[in-house]
C-alpha cells in the first residue's frame, strides 16, 4: 500500500491492496493529503470491526474529482472522506446531497450505494460531539455565546451547528468581512433565537466581542504554519474563556498558547477529526463506529 495514490494509480487500478492483502475500498481525498490522519483512524476502526478492507490517501484536487469518482465507483469503493480543497467541488458530481450538507454548501463524506453517490457533511456534528465529550470541560454550543473565527467551509458547518443547537449569541469574525456578513444572514434564518453579530477581525473588535463570548472557535487556516501569529492575544482572554482550535497539526497553535497563558480551558481539533470521522464511518457502514479504537489510534487522551 502506498502512502499516497494519484489519479494515474486509479486509472491503472489492479489488485491494489494492503500488505496484509486487504483491498482498498475507502479513500481520503485532498491536496495536499500527506498529513491526513484519516488512514490511521479509519483503518483502526475497520480492523476493530473485522471489516475486510482498508482506507488509503489519494492526492486528488477539484480538477480531477469527476474522473476520480467514476473510477472509485468502478472499483467498488464503499466511501470517501473529503478535505480541502475538494469539499465544495464534489457537489457537482453527486446524485444526492443530504439537506444539512446542502445548507452548508460542502460535503466531507461520500457513500457509494447501488450505483449512486450520496454526499453528507459531518463537520458540524463532529465538533458538537467533540464538545459534548467533555474535551473543553462543560463548554456548550447550545447554552453559551460563541465567537467563531472564519467563514470558510468548516466555519459554515460550525455556525450552522451552533444555530441548530440554539446557541444564544454567535459572533462571526472573518478576514474578508463580506463573507462573514453573508454567512450571518444565512444563519439568522436557521434559528431566530440565535443572535448573529459580525465582528471586524482586528484586536479591538475581537477584544470587545470576547467580553460577551465564552467559547472561542478558530476555523480559519491561521495557525497551520509554525510562524502564524494568533488572531487573539492573551490579554483579551480570561480564565472564564474556553478556546477550541479546529487545527490539530501543529497540536499547539499560537492561539492555544495564548489561551494557556491566559489560564483559559483549551483543546485542539483532534477530537473534531475523531468525531467527524466516526460519523463518516457510520454513514459508510450503517453501524456504530468503534470510537475507542479510533480514539486510541489518534492518541486522543
Ligand atoms: P476551510 O474549508 O478549511 O474552512 P476555506 O473555505 O478556504 O477552508 O476557509 C479558510 C478560512 O480561513 C477563511 O475564513 C479565510 O478567510 P477569508 O474568507 O478572508 O479568505 C481564513 N483565512 C485564511 N488565511 C487567513 C489569514 N492569513 N488571516 C485570517 N484569516 C485567514
Amino acid at each position: 500500500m502506498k502512502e499516497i495514490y494519484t489519479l494515474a494509480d486509479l486509472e491503472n487500478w489492479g489488485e491494489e491492496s494492503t500488505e496484509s492483502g486487504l483491498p482498498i475500498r475507502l479513500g481520503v481525498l485532498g491536496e495536499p493529503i500527506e498529513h491526513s490522519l484519516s488512514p490511521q483512524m479509519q483503518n483502526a476502526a475497520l480492523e476493530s470491526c473485522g471489516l475486510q478492507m482498508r482506507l488509503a490517501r489519494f492526492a486528488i484536487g477539484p480538477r480531477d474529482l469527476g474522473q476520480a469518482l467514476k473510477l472509485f465507483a468502478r472499483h467498488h469503493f464503499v466511501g470517501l472522506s473529503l478535505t480541502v480543497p475538494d469539499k465544495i467541488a464534489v457537489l457537482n458530481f453527486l446524485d444526492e446531497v443530504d439537506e444539512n450538507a446542502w445548507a452548508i454548501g460542502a460535503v466531507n463524506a461520500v457513500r457509494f450505494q447501488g450505483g449512486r453517490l450520496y454526499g453528507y457533511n459531518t463537520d458540524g456534528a463532529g465538533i458538537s460531539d467533540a464538545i459534548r465529550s467533555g474535551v473543553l470541560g462543560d463548554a456548550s454550543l447550545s447554552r453559551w455565546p460563541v465567537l467563531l473565527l472564519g467563514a470558510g467551509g468548516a466555519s459554515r458547518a460550525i455556525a450552522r451547528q451552533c444555530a441548530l443547537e440554539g446557541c444564544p449569541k454567535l459572533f462571526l469574525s472573518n478576514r474578508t468581512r463580506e463573507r462573514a456578513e453573508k454567512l450571518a444572514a444565512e444563519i439568522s434564518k436557521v434559528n431566530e433565537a440565535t443572535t448573529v453579530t459580525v465582528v471586524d477581525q482586528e484586536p479591538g473588535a475581537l477584544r470587545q466581542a470576547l467580553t460577551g463570548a465564552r467559547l472561542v472557535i478558530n476555523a480559519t487556516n491561521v495557525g497551520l504554519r509554525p510562524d502564524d501569529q494568533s488572531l487573539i492575544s492573551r490579554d483579551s482572554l480570561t480564565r472564564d474563556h474556553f478556546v477550541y482550535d479546529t487545527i490539530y497539526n501543529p497540536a499547539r497553535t499560537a492561539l492555544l498558547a495564548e489561551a494557556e497563558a491566559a489560564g483559559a480551558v483549551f483543546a485542539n481539533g483532534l477530537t473534531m477529526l475523531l468525531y467527524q470521522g466516526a460519523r463518516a464511518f457510520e454513514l459508510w457502514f450503517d453501524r456504530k463506529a468503534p470510537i475507542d479504537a479510533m480514539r486510541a489510534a489518534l492518541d486522543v487522551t
Side-chain angles (χ1 to χ4, degrees):
M1 177 158 152
K2 291 189 190 177
E3 274 295 302
I4 297 175
Y5 292 93
T6 63
L7 183 65
D9 292 319
L10 265 182
E11 280 166 343
N12 299 300
W13 202 250
E15 289 303 301
E16 287 293 343
S17 59
T18 62
E19 290 69 21
S20 47
L22 295 175
I24 295 167
R25 292 279 189 271
L26 295 154
V28 56
L29 274 60
E31 206 169 35
I33 198 65
E34 56 266 33
H35 301 300
S36 170
L37 297 180
S38 286
Q40 195 171 312
M41 168 174 69
Q42 299 292 9
N43 287 334
L46 294 166
E47 189 173 355
S48 155
C49 294
L51 291 164
Q52 300 296 306
M53 63 180 79
R54 289 295 181 260
L55 176 142
R57 295 184 186 89
F58 290 84
I60 288 172
R63 206 168 44 97
D64 295 329
L65 207 47
Q67 174 65 5
L69 288 169
K70 279 191 205 137
L71 293 165
F72 284 123
R74 189 180 303 162
H75 300 314
H76 310 293
F77 271 59
V78 172
L80 302 172
S81 265
L82 295 135
T83 181
V84 180
D86 292 331
K87 291 187 193 184
I88 296 168
V90 73
L91 285 166
N92 296 316
F93 307 108
L94 301 174
D95 297 301
E96 278 186 44
V97 177
D98 95 322
E99 191 195 330
N100 182 52
W102 192 252
I104 293 165
V107 160
N108 74 330
V110 167
R111 177 175 182 176
F112 297 86
Q113 198 183 27
R116 291 172 72 77
L117 269 69
Y118 297 84
Y120 308 89
N121 192 306
T122 67
D123 280 339
I127 194 165
S128 173
D129 293 345
I131 287 178
R132 272 188 283 111
S133 77
V135 67
L136 270 187
D138 55 355
S140 160
L141 293 185
S142 57
R143 288 180 285 111
W144 289 10
V146 174
L147 168 60
L148 176 60
L149 303 173
S155 304
R156 293 181 57 83
I158 295 167
R160 181 174 158 81
Q161 191 69 30
C162 288
L164 289 174
E165 295 195 15
C167 169
K169 197 155 176 47
L170 181 61
F171 298 93
L172 284 179
S173 178
N174 194 50
R175 177 178 59 181
T176 312
R177 188 182 159 104
E178 302 80 76
R179 270 183 109 186
E181 278 167 357
K182 183 169 173 291
L183 178 57
E186 289 178 40
I187 296 302
S188 303
K189 292 187 204 131
V190 176
N191 185 349
E192 284 174 5
T194 301
T195 311
V196 190
T197 307
V198 175
V199 175
D200 280 338
Q201 202 164 86
E202 55 87 18
L206 290 170
R207 178 195 294 269
Q208 177 61 32
L210 282 163
T211 61
R214 191 124 188 251
L215 173 58
V216 182
I217 301 173
N218 176 44
T220 73
N221 301 337
V222 181
L224 275 175
R225 285 179 310 210
D227 56 341
D228 279 347
Q229 303 286 310
S230 174
L231 292 170
I232 289 173
S233 67
R234 65 191 69 185
D235 45 325
S236 297
L237 294 167
T238 68
R239 286 173 186 281
D240 292 331
H241 284 113
F242 290 68
V243 182
Y244 192 86
D245 202 326
T246 62
I247 295 172
Y248 57 83
N249 186 9
R252 178 73 53 98
T253 58
L255 171 63
L256 296 186
E258 295 298 301
E260 183 173 34
V265 180
F266 62 94
N268 71 23
L270 214 48
T271 42
M272 181 174 166
L273 176 78
L274 169 68
Y275 286 103
Q276 66 75 30
R279 295 244 178 190
F281 183 96
E282 291 173 355
L283 291 167
W284 296 333
F285 296 109
D286 288 324
R287 62 184 287 175
K288 225 172 152 29
I291 197 81
D292 290 338
M294 299 171 87
R295 181 185 287 277
L298 288 176
D299 212 7
V300 176
T301 47

